[in-house]
Amino acid sequence: MKLKKLVHFLILIALLSCNENSTKKILTESKGKQNEIILVIDDNSWEGAIGDTLRKIFQFEIDGLPQPEQFFNLVKITPSQFTRFFRTHKNIMFVGKDFKDSYSMNKWAKNQIVMYLSSSSNELEFKKSCVKTFNFLYRKELEHIRASYKMSHNTDARKHIKEAFGINVFLPTEYYVSLKDKNIFISDFHSFNEKQDLLKYILVYDFFPDDNENIQKQIVSKTDSILKEKIKGSIDGTFVQIDKRMPLTEINGLYRGMWTLENGFMAGPFIMKSRYIEDRIIISLGLVFHPNENKREYVRTFEALL
């Protein structure tokens, strides 16, 4: 009799467990590009001051690219158009008077962010909310890229860079390491066929700054000297340099600009990070050559990995 009761008890526990698991959400992977935002907003708001603010903050052009490319692409739809088809997109943003500023992770899909912005506040408060949301998405995109390469990267290169320079760089396995020294590290990736020519470099190097000279000038000068000596073109007398004709922007040690091939006909964008570590300046640099194609994906990856 006791054995029969025990069997009944175990069956009951199993049924309850199955019922509990059946109530859990089974989420599919989110879809869409990382820089794409499904914006759910009514037409009147989109065509007025609220829409202007959203476009200025989320769709402004990235510095240091040869052709106009936006930070984020807003795909605008009305609330009535928001069907099941859009519910699994990576980034969804609802804007309206009935919402409170908030966000939800993995609401309808994995690796998804659903945001809500109130449009009932005054123009200044709404702008602040937009800036806060932009920074949040910007950080999440970099975290996503970095996490994906952290799972699979060149561990020997990362170990060397950490020991030599004191920073973590998760070098993609596709890169070939051509120089690994205590003061400089160089790697590159080159893919060439009849449809595309893609060339990428990642460099790390250091120098001891002169406190009596402008730091930014020293960084540019040191970078040019490294590029001139180490990154040369296929024709004799050609070498890479920072393009002084194009604007060079810097925010918190992150530089964006263009490089050019001296005595040649190649050019492209670069991302450069500078860090003070003890008495040295550590520079990590990524540059890309991919003619007639968008470069946003590459510079964002550099920004995340460097």
Side-chain angles (χ1 to χ4, degrees), residues 44-67:
N44 290 335
S45 297
W46 176 247
E47 293 165 4
I50 292 172
D52 290 340
T53 299
L54 289 165
R55 285 185 287 271
K56 287 177 183 177
I57 292 175
F58 290 93
Q59 294 191 151
F60 75 91
E61 294 176 4
I62 302 173
D63 292 331
L65 294 183
Q67 65 276 336

Side-chain angles (χ1 to χ4, degrees), residues 78-302:
T78 63
S80 62
Q81 293 172 324
F82 184 70
T83 60
R84 184 177 294 273
F85 173 79
F86 295 104
R87 289 177 63 174
T88 55
H89 200 278
K90 285 185 181 297
N91 302 312
I92 304 172
M93 184 161 60
F94 293 88
V95 177
K97 294 181 179 180
D98 297 330
F99 299 117
K100 291 184 178 180
D101 289 356
S102 61
Y103 73 91
S104 175
M105 303 294 294
N106 306 322
K107 183 170 183 176
W108 293 302
K110 296 178 183 178
N111 299 311
Q112 179 189 60
I113 305 174
V114 179
M115 297 148 287
Y116 302 89
L117 287 180
S118 172
S119 61
S120 61
S121 57
N122 60 49
E123 185 175 347
L124 180 60
E125 290 300 316
F126 180 69
K127 183 177 181 180
K128 288 181 179 179
S129 295
C130 289
V131 170
K132 185 177 180 180
T133 302
F134 171 87
N135 290 333
F136 174 73
L137 284 173
Y138 177 76
R139 185 178 71 252
K140 284 295 182 182
E141 181 181 5
L142 293 181
E143 289 175 357
H144 175 78
I145 295 170
R146 189 173 177 84
S148 65
Y149 282 100
K150 191 174 182 178
M151 294 176 62
S152 177
H153 63 276
N154 187 326
T155 54
D156 289 338
R158 180 181 61 81
K159 182 179 178 181
H160 169 78
I161 293 170
K162 181 66 175 179
E163 292 175 350
F165 304 100
I167 63 174
N168 271 316
V169 174
F170 297 103
L171 185 75
T173 55
E174 65 188 20
Y175 280 73
Y176 169 76
V177 177
S178 57
L179 181 58
K180 189 168 63 172
D181 202 351
K182 65 178 182 179
N183 298 117
I184 185 170
F185 173 90
I186 299 178
S187 62
D188 67 87
F189 169 83
H190 193 188
S191 173
F192 175 77
N193 55 49
E194 60 183 14
K195 293 184 178 180
Q196 72 166 10
D197 190 4
L198 172 60
L199 178 62
K200 300 181 290 184
Y201 277 91
I202 288 180
L203 299 84
V204 185
Y205 45 95
D206 65 0
F207 71 95
F208 294 93
D210 184 343
D211 294 335
N212 297 318
E213 293 186 19
N214 180 274
I215 291 297
Q216 183 166 309
K217 287 184 179 180
Q218 291 183 69
I219 290 173
V220 171
S221 177
K222 179 64 177 179
T223 299
D224 272 343
S225 67
I226 292 287
L227 294 175
K228 182 176 181 179
E229 180 183 357
K230 303 296 185 181
I231 312 298
K232 300 180 182 294
S234 58
I235 301 174
D236 289 344
T238 60
F239 53 90
V240 171
Q241 293 283 269
I242 293 176
D243 193 340
K244 311 303 187 301
R245 301 166 299 177
M246 305 299 291
L248 178 67
T249 64
E250 183 269 333
I251 299 176
N252 297 326
L254 176 67
Y255 292 80
R256 301 177 188 273
M258 293 285 294
W259 61 269
T260 184
L261 187 68
E262 292 291 328
N263 306 316
F265 301 97
M266 296 172 67
F270 72 85
I271 288 284
M272 180 168 62
K273 287 185 178 181
S274 64
R275 301 173 176 90
Y276 263 107
I277 298 182
E278 296 178 352
D279 55 350
R280 299 182 300 166
I281 291 182
I282 310 298
I283 304 295
S284 51
L285 170 71
L287 60 85
V288 61
F289 175 71
H290 197 28
N292 304 316
E293 300 292 340
N294 289 336
K295 317 292 194 299
R296 181 195 187 276
E297 175 187 347
Y298 302 111
V299 297
R300 296 291 281 154
T301 299
F302 288 145

